[in-house]
């Protein structure tokens, strides 16, 4: 046989085999990807469907003739996406819910007037929406009996007009017409105040159907019809009428979580040198995906899609493609096949998702952006800015993927945690105790252009990046906490990340108001946002060093308690004219210290009682009248629910159940605290400064009252051993020195005081005595004096262990130093030790022996340079860095790390900031004087002034400040002209011969000098060894070179020790000269 | 340099016995220390390469029916053998990042004696891939990072590797010795710690006098004359660390540094004048800390270095004495194993390193070592006859027999300053005794 023929045949056969093998492989993949098949019972007959909903939106479509024979034309159809307990995906189309709002009814309106009003409104609507061809804009106008939430009113209910419109978008245009004024025949021209007209349609639906975010919904058998032509990729899809939905309260069986599918992904792009990847030019080369089922601790699908071949990775499905188009389409198919309910990742909203979509656009792949659950619906990218008082301005991109919740871990981190850096690396180091290797984008291209091995390395890195968000999600229990938050506040899960706090309170308020038959007016932009009111004041602290234990008395949730105790609410607020008009007895109203009046809860009770007694005919409405304001009632429910959740938590054993309950109690706490803020948000939904200023004024009064009572009661006259003294008080706590020497005695008195004081307040305000605080402040040095509040918290936390860095623009050196000093003074009672420690640190700083990482200051870049009125160090630096290398420069929203360097005399502070990496690379000297004066001095003096007589002199002058050393810049200024000469290692005298190490004078000290140098070398070597092995550990491989470039470039600084490497060299050099 | 002693009364002359000495330290010498950006991956790579070459023929004998695959080539439930380096994932292993990133001054670095934890697990890594090891066969507490092994097993559904059998490199081949000769003694001593409070000059002087033949009866002198070599295994001096922080020192402190070294020089001079002497650097000596530690600099011994009987050696130290192969360290390798794994005694650790055919498997992972690029000098190519480790808590010894009739004398040398014990080894039969010196006048 001819050899060539044989070969060819064999090869062909082999190829065929491979082909069939691949097909088999694909099939195996698909079967793993698919959701569990539907049970035959669903397919054959239609049982009840119970599912947990995750996302609700609406579309405009033809209303279903089958379900609602009376309706016709286009209408809003709500879509509820969710998952059943078996893991089937559900899409439920809800029909028949109509958008509406209220206006106050003009006095004396009759049925005829209403139809006239209706027609006029319809006419005006048609005028302003000429282009649309809706048959009827305003569907109905009805008279309903409601009451406004604002101000105390004696009448029970007024007539209101409920205006029902055809489509949700018409609400706002209709509102506009009514607010601007409408001339109705017979009634005259009038500007109407609208009520509940700015509520999103989906939220309106949820409120009216009692659906809260993430709860279980049941559609009874026979009440739904399966869709004939499915619109979505969900396994179950059906139509029903809104009134047939059964919404379950998230309790017991219904507090569980369905097995959602969570997709965590990360992409890699091959950027060009020195430039940040742009979708127009740079290809997507890898996408790593991990899919986890909620409740499992391991992902059940791990795969990575790569451009060009890639070696296999254990436990990971590697899929290689030859063209970028194939990757993108494969990813789309993957998404469609596995059908994730939640998509997570790190910075996916701002980078990964928009990049993929824009890249597909650039490559003209029209079929790519169909990632949602709705067939043929393209994903759109929109720029959004989110601004909130609490979180500042954030630019972001909104990628609407219908039916799937996006959860960007970066956003969640920025919202929930205060960190000095939000890079994935530092976040995972902080929460998971794990560093990830950092591959610079310039290396990414090199790896991609290498062979299948180098691409494998990149894939491993990419997978790790995809896995970290999932691990963070698990570790921080985001799913539990956010779902519980959605359940408690009643908003959809997607609102929690995309919107501020106020929507949550508004949702609760609306739900409560609906029960009480109240309506909420639409008050827009009442203030300019600049109005303020007096905040919580703080008692003047008595600075000093206190040897004896100090007890801290805390109010338990003070602000919510005040609102409950004094019945502060929109509906109990009395306007001055109303007060005059109603002429209420003074004992039934309370005037807050800020001068606003509120009706006491007892008033209504009194009236009701009076009513019964006298049986007055005109007052009969009072019988059904409510007793409390709405806000107090919401708060009371929240706090009671929290108590319940905490009690359940104690009993619960199942870890999942515990997670849910813990998430719930946390959500309840946060919600209760945000109610106060809601009333004070002047550009919020329903601001009411009367309430918020009353709350703070009551708070101040209470602190003062407490102080008075404590100092009156605990006196030697009253039989106590010592006079108690209030040393300090802030928003919600008071610190008392009872004068007793032991901690136990102070604790006893503290408890007694707490009980006594609680007795003097109204029932809701409870003084709670927190024994843990006391032990913390044992033998407290009261350095709280003029230290900002942040620092007092900091001290407490520092005691408990680990610094909670409250002020992030301090460098680590200050934090460490202050903490250490407090430890020494408070715990070890070693003042002179603390002083020595400070001196040593200062000497180290001046001698340039402090690690650079300790000197880095970070500041958030919130706007671009032009937007800042004053030039700020970090902004200027960001600008300079952009000029050097646009790819690595910080962007808006990032935190900019910088150090202060020495500069020409008279240089402005903002000109002296410099990128730490740049400083290391160029040996730029640090301005140690700046750190001494601007960073260290103030906090140190605050601590030491009460203890030391001449703290300033003692600490900041003297011998230890006289030795200075700074690094010489390597390539700038006068150093360019310097000539290197050998000098004696002992005395720095210049020596002539190149081969000698010591001058004649020092020859006798040879052994000693050698010891010193060699010990430095040894120290460096240990450091070298430990650092490189640490790098290997992070990378997770022994046999391959460490790729991570952090030791050269990115510094989140916790790990930044590598500048020492050059030192090792020079030390070794001098050792060599010896040899 | 033969040396003779003249006894006072009777003029009896003992001639010092001699042995042929050949230093094999060349492999541990680092030439031209200049850092060129090398990383530790190369040394692991070289080690794995060595191991693979060594294990390949062994594996084909061990499990001839099984295919040898790479970790990436593993297939589920298919039995095979793999060769790689063990990596031990340790929960308690201290991380330098923690030290630096957390409040480094406030948290005192707790240094427990041992970092082994029940949650530790083993991972096998080859040139490219990694796989987690499972099964009760391998006890994580017995192993450390850096050992090259061959494993037989199969991949599980979870993607781990279920180990069914293990093959270690085993003892290296040993040069067979010719017939037993005469009594010839080698004396080992370590941990003099001159300059520390524990050091007693009289005690050491007694040792010097004994070895040089200035003490004892004829009989003892006869024995002393058969001592052919003294080996000092590390930690000869202690220099207070507080003086070495880079600050300029006062004249008084300067002498505090040089004083112990001068004293050592004087004492060693007496020894070197009488018989050959090897000194190895230890972790506390004025030497670098990377293994292999380079010889102590001659400038430290202006007096002793004039003698050609004085040898400043590397640590580890390897030499031949009348065909006997000696291998030893100042103790770092065994102490590090003790921190990161468990064994009944130090001797067991020593036996393990012989079995793994690697002197210091934990280098560079937890033991700092020079980043070699082309070789792994700690690989034990031929099995020594005497294997000693300095600076241990107590004297221990064992005559180990290998599977191919290798005979190895294992010696743990105790710290002299604490115990007053030096170890004497007879080359004739590899027997081992202690010499105990006490200068406690009360006792």
């Amino acid at each position: 046989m001819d050899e060539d023929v044989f070969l060819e045949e064999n090869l062909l056969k082999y190829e065929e085999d491979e082909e069939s093998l691949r097909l088999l492989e694909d099939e195996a993949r698909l079967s793993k990807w698919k959701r569990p098949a539907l049970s035959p019972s669903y397919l054959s007959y239609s049982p009840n469907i119970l599912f947990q909903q995750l996302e609700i939106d609406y579309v405009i479509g033809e209303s279903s003739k089958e379900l609602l024979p009376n309706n016709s034309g286009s209408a809003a159809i709500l879509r509820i996406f969710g998952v059943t307990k078996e893991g089937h995906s559900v899409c439920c189309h809800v029909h028949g819910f109509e958008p509406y709002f209220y206006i106050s009814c003009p006095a004396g309106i009759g049925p005829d007037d209403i139809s006239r009003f209706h027609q006029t409104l319809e006419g005006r609507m048609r005028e302003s929406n000429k282009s649309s061809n809706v048959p009827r804009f305003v569907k109905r106008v009805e008279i309903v009996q409601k009451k406004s939430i604002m101000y105390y009113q004696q009448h029970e209910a007024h007539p209101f007009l409920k205006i029902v419109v055809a489509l949700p978008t018409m609400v706002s245009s209709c509102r506009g017409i009514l607010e601007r004024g409408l001339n109705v025949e017979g009634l005259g021209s009038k500007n109407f105040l609208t009520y509940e007209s700015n509520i999103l349609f989906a939220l309106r639906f949820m409120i009216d159907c009692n659906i809260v975010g993430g709860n279980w919904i049941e559609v009874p058998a026979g009440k739904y019809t399966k869709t004939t032509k499915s619109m979505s990729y969900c396994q179950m899809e059906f139509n029903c009428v809104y009134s047939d939905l059964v919404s379950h309260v998230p309790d017991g069986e219904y507090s569980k979580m369905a097995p959602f599918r969570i997709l965590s992904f990360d992409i890699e792009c091959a950027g060009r040198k020195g430039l940040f990847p742009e979708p127009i030019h740079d290809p997507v080369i890898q996408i790593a995906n991990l899919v986890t089922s909620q409740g499992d601790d391991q992902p059940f699908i791990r795969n990575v899609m790569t451009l060009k071949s890639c070696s296999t990775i254990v436990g990971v499905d590697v899929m290689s493609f030859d063209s970028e188009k194939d990757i993108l389409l494969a990813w789309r198919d993957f998404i469609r096949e596995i059908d994730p309910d939640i998509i997570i990742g790190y910075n996916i909203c701002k980078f990964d998702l928009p990049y993929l979509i824009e890249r597909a656009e650039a490559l003209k792949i029209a079929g790519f952006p169909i990632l949602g659950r709705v067939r043929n619906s393209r994903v759109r990218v929109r720029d959004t800015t989110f601004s909130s008082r609490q979180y500042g301005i954030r630019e972001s991109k909104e990628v609407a993927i219908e039916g799937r919740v996006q959860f960007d871990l970066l956003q969640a981190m920025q919202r929930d945690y205060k960190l000095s850096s939000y890079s994935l690396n530092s976040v995972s180091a902080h929460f998971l105790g794990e560093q990830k290797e950092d591959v610079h984008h310039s290396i990414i291209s090199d790896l991609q252009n290498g062979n299948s091995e180098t691409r494998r390395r990149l894939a491993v890195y990419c997978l790790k990046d995809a896995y970290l968000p999932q691990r963070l999600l698990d570790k921080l229990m985001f799913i539990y906490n956010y779902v519980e938050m959605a359940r408690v506040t009643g908003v959809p899960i997607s609102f929690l990340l995309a919107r501020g706090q106020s929507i949550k309170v508004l949702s609760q308020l609306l739900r409560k108001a609906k029960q009480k038959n109240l309506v909420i007016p639409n008050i827009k932009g009442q203030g300019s946002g600049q109005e303020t009111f007096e905040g919580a004041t703080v008692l003047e602290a008595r600075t000093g060093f206190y040897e004896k234990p100090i007890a801290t008395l805390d109010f338990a949730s003070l602000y919510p308690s005040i609102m409950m105790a004094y019945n502060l609410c929109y509906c109990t607020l009395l306007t001055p004219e109303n007060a005059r008009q109603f002429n209420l007895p003074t004992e039934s109203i309370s005037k807050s210290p800020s001068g606003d009046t509120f009706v006491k809860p007892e008033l209504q009770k009194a009236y009701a009682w009076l009513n019964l007694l006298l049986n007055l005919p005109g007052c009969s409405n009072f019988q059904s009248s409510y007793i409390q304001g709405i806000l107090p009632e919401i708060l009371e429910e929240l706090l009671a629910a929290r108590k319940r959740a905490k009690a359940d938590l104690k009993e619960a054993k199942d870890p999942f159940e515990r997670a849910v309950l813990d998430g719930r109690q946390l959500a309840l706490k946060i919600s209760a605290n945000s109610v106060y803020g809601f009333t004070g948000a002047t550009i919020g939904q329903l601001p009411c400064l009367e309430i918020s200023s009353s709350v703070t004024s009551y708070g101040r009064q209470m602190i003062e009252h407490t102080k008075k009572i404590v100092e009156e009661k605990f006196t030697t006259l009253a039989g106590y051993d010592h006079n108690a003294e209030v040393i300090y008080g802030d928003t919600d706590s008071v610190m008392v020195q009872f004068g007793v020497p032991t901690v136990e005695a102070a604790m006893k008195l503290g408890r007694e005081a707490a009980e006594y004081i609680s007795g003097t307040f109204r029932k809701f305000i409870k003084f709670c005595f927190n024994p843990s605080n006391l032990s913390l402040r044992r033998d407290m040095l009261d350095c709280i004096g003029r230290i900002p509040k942040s620092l007092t918290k900091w001290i407490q936390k520092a005691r408990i262990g680990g610094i909670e860095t409250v002020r992030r623009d301090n460098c680590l050196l200050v934090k460490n130093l202050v903490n250490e000093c407090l430890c020494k003074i408070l715990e070890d009672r070693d003042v002179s030790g603390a002083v020595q420690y400070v001196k040593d640190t200062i000497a180290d700083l001046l001698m340039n022996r402090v690690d650079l990482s300790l000197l880095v200051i970070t500041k958030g870049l919130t706007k671009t340079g032009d937007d800042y009125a004053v030039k700020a160090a970090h902004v200027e630096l960001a600008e300079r860095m952009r000029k050097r290398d646009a790819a690595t420069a910080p962007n808006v929203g990032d935190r900019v790390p910088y150090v202060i360097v020495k500069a020409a005399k008279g240089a402005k502070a903002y000109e002296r900031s410099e990128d730490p990496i740049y400083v290391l690379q160029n040996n730029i000297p640090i301005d140690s004087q700046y750190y001494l004066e601007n960073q260290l001095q103030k906090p140190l003096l605050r601590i030491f002034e009460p203890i030391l007589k001449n703290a300033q002199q003692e600490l900041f002058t003297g011998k230890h400040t006289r030795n200075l050393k700074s690094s010489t810049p390597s390539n700038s200024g006068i150093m360019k002209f310097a000539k290197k000469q050998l000098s004696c290692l002992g005395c720095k005298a210049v020596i002539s011969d190149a081969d000698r190490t010591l001058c004649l004078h020092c020859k006798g000290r040879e052994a000693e000098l050698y010891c010193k140098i060699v010990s430095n070398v040894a120290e460096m070597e240990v450091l070298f060894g430990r650092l490189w092995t640490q790098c290997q550990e992070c990378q997770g491989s022994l046999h391959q070179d460490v790729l991570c470039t952090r030791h050269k470039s990115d510094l989140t600084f916790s790990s930044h020790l590598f500048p020492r490497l050059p030192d090792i060299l020079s030390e070794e050099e001098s050792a060599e000269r010896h040899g | 340099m033969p040396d003779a002693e003249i006894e006072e009364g009777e003029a009896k002359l003992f001639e010092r016995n001699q042995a042929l000495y050949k230093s094999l330290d060349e492999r541990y010498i680092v030439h031209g220390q200049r850092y060129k950006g090398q990383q530790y991956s190369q040394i692991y790579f070289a080690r794995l390469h060595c191991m693979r070459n060594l294990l390949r023929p062994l594996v084909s004998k061990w499990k001839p029916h099984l295919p040898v695959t790479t970790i990436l080539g593993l297939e589920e439930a298919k039995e095979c053998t793999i060769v790689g380096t063990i990596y031990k994932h340790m929960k308690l292993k201290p991380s330098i990042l923690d030290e630096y990133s957390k409040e480094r001054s406030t948290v005192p670095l707790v240094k427990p004696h041992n970092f082994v934890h029940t949650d530790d697990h083993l991972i096998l890594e080859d040139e490219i891939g990694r796989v987690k090891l499972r099964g009760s066969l391998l006890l994580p507490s017995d192993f450390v990072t850096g050992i090259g092994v061959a494993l037989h097993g199969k991949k599980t559904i979870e993607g781990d590797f279920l180990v069914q059998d293990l093959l270690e490199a085993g003892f290296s081949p040993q040069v067979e010795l010719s017939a037993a000769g005469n009594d010839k003694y080698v004396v080992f001593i370590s941990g003099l710690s001159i300059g520390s409070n524990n050091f007693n000059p009289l005690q050491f002087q007694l040792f010097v006098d004994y070895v040089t033949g200035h003490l004892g009866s004829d009989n003892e002198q006869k024995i002393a004359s058969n001592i052919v070599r003294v080996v000092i295994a590390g930690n000869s001096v202690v220099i207070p660390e507080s003086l070495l922080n880079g600050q300029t020192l006062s004249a008084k402190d300067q002498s505090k540094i040089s004083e112990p070294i001068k004293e050592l020089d004087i004492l060693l001079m007496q020894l070197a004048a009488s018989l050959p002497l090897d000194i190895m650097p230890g972790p506390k000596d004025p030497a670098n800390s990377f293994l292999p530690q380079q010889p102590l600099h001659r400038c430290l011994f202006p007096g002793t270095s004039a003698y050609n009987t004085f040898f400043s050696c590397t640590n580890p130290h390897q030499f031949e004495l009348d065909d006997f192969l000696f291998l030893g360290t100042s103790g770092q390798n065994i102490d590090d194993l003790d921190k990161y794994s468990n064994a009944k005694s130090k001797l067991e650790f020593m036996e393990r390193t012989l079995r793994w055919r690697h002197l210091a498997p934990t280098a560079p992972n937890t033991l700092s070592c020079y980043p070699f690029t082309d070789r792994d000098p700690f690989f034990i190519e031929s099995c020594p006859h005497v294997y000693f480790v300095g600076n241990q808590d107590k004297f221990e010894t064992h005559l180990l027999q290998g599977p191919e009739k290798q005979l190895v004398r294992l010696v743990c040398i105790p710290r002299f300053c604490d115990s007053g014990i030096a170890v004497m080894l007879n080359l004739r039969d590899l027997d081992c005794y202690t010499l105990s010196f006490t200068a406690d006048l009360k006792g």
Side-chain angles (χ1 to χ4, degrees), chain A residues 311-315 429 433 435 453 456 801-803 812 816-817 819-820 823 837 844 847 849-851 853-854 963 1004-1012 1014-1030 1032-1034 1036-1043 1047 1054-1057 1060-1061 1064-1065 1068-1069 1071-1072 1074-1075, chain B residues 32-42 44-45 48 71-74 84-87 93-97 99-107 125-131 145-146 155 158-160 239 243-249 254-255 257-258 261-262 285-290 295-297 299-300 364-366 368-369 371:
Chain A
S311 304
T312 52
I313 302 167
V314 183
Q435 301 271 328
E453 278 309 317
R456 177 184 178 274
I803 301 179
L812 204 59
N816 285 358
L817 187 61
N819 199 40
E820 176 72 2
C823 269
Y837 181 77
D844 279 349
M847 288 292 285
R849 281 195 300 254
V850 174
D851 195 88
S853 58
L854 294 176
N963 282 329
R1005 291 167 57 206
E1006 200 176 14
E1008 172 223 327
L1009 290 171
Y1010 179 78
C1011 283
K1012 278 171 72 173
V1014 94
S1015 87
N1016 276 342
V1017 172
E1019 197 183 303
M1020 292 295 170
E1021 283 177 345
V1022 171
L1023 207 57
F1024 176 93
R1026 294 192 61 189
L1027 288 171
W1028 275 115
T1029 48
Q1030 180 64 47
Q1032 288 192 320
E1033 210 137 291
C1034 292
S1037 135
L1038 300 174
H1039 297 105
Q1040 288 173 339
D1041 269 358
V1042 174
L1043 272 185
H1047 62 277
S1054 55
S1055 58
H1056 192 77
L1057 310 152
R1060 298 212 170 185
L1061 282 183
I1064 297 181
L1065 296 191
E1068 282 179 358
E1069 215 174 304
E1072 238 170 72
H1074 253 288
Chain B
Q33 275 193 3
R34 202 90 219 264
Y35 181 67
K36 295 185 198 75
Q38 62 266 54
Q39 302 185 0
Y40 281 135
S41 52
Q42 278 113 326
Y44 280 116
F45 203 84
L48 184 61
I71 285 173
L72 293 188
L74 285 176
T85 311
I86 282 186
Y87 174 79
K93 186 179 168 188
S95 157
I96 186 160
L97 296 181
E99 274 167 51
Y100 272 80
S101 62
K102 308 266 160 65
E103 329 87 87
R104 31 178 185 177
S105 49
T106 50
V107 179
E125 177 173 334
D126 66 7
E127 286 86 345
I128 308 165
R130 260 188 180 203
V131 69
T145 299
K155 189 173 143 185
E158 296 88 17
D160 299 343
I239 293 166
L243 299 177
L244 295 172
N245 58 5
Q247 304 272 33
T248 20
L249 298 176
Q254 282 177 10
S255 70
I257 292 180
S258 52
I261 296 167
K262 271 187 193 150
D285 284 318
N288 63 334
S289 64
F290 273 166
L296 289 168
H297 201 271
C299 77
L300 300 171
N365 190 36
T366 47
S368 56
C369 105

Side-chain angles (χ1 to χ4, degrees), chain A residues 506-695:
Chain A
L506 186 68
S507 156
Q508 293 173 72
L509 205 58
L510 283 166
R511 281 166 200 271
K512 193 67 62 210
K514 186 168 176 283
Q515 283 175 24
K516 303 275 181 198
N517 205 25
L518 295 174
V519 286
I520 295 173
N522 178 35
I523 304 171
K524 257 275 139 67
Q526 198 187 40
S528 56
Q530 300 292 326
E531 293 165 35
T532 48
F533 48 90
E534 204 180 343
T537 29
V538 174
L539 291 182
E540 185 70 22
R542 301 191 197 163
T543 22
F545 183 78
Y546 294 95
E547 293 272 346
K548 287 171 187 155
I550 309 261
T552 306
L553 304 169
D554 280 350
F555 281 106
S557 31
L558 180 68
Y559 285 178
S561 308
I562 288 175
M563 292 176 84
M564 286 175 348
Y566 292 96
N567 204 27
L568 306 184
C569 181
Y570 299 102
C571 59
T572 58
L573 177 65
L574 265 180
T575 52
E577 55 266 35
N578 278 355
R580 246 176 284 125
Q581 194 189 327
F582 297 152
N583 197 17
L584 292 168
T586 46
E587 69 271 11
S588 60
I589 55 167
S590 53
K591 209 169 169 101
S592 78
S594 63
D596 301 299
T597 30
F598 292 87
V599 178
K600 282 185 186 170
E602 291 86 1
L603 170 68
Q604 279 97 3
K605 261 192 219 156
Y607 265 82
W609 177 76
L610 200 73
N611 197 17
L612 271 179
L613 201 71
L614 303 174
N615 203 6
L616 291 173
C619 299
S620 60
N621 317 353
F622 278 122
Q623 260 172 346
S624 60
S625 94
Y626 55 87
I627 289 167
Q628 258 182 340
I630 286 193
L631 291 179
E633 198 173 327
I634 291 176
L635 286 168
E636 208 170 314
E637 278 174 16
L638 286 174
L639 293 180
R642 179 165 182 237
K643 215 178 222 171
R644 235 180 7 251
K646 275 177 131 179
D648 290 349
L649 182 64
K650 256 183 209 158
E651 310 233 314
K653 299 220 163 51
D654 177 36
F656 293 120
E657 199 184 336
R658 287 184 67 89
V660 170
L661 287 171
D662 196 44
R664 180 176 302 170
Q665 70 91 6
L666 200 71
L668 287 163
K669 183 186 166 186
I670 296 170
S671 306
N673 286 335
S674 57
V675 169
Y676 157 73
F678 180 77
T679 64
T682 46
I683 39 175
Q685 298 282 1
L686 193 62
C688 185
L689 290 189
E690 289 93 339
I691 297 177
S692 47
S693 60
S694 297
V695 170

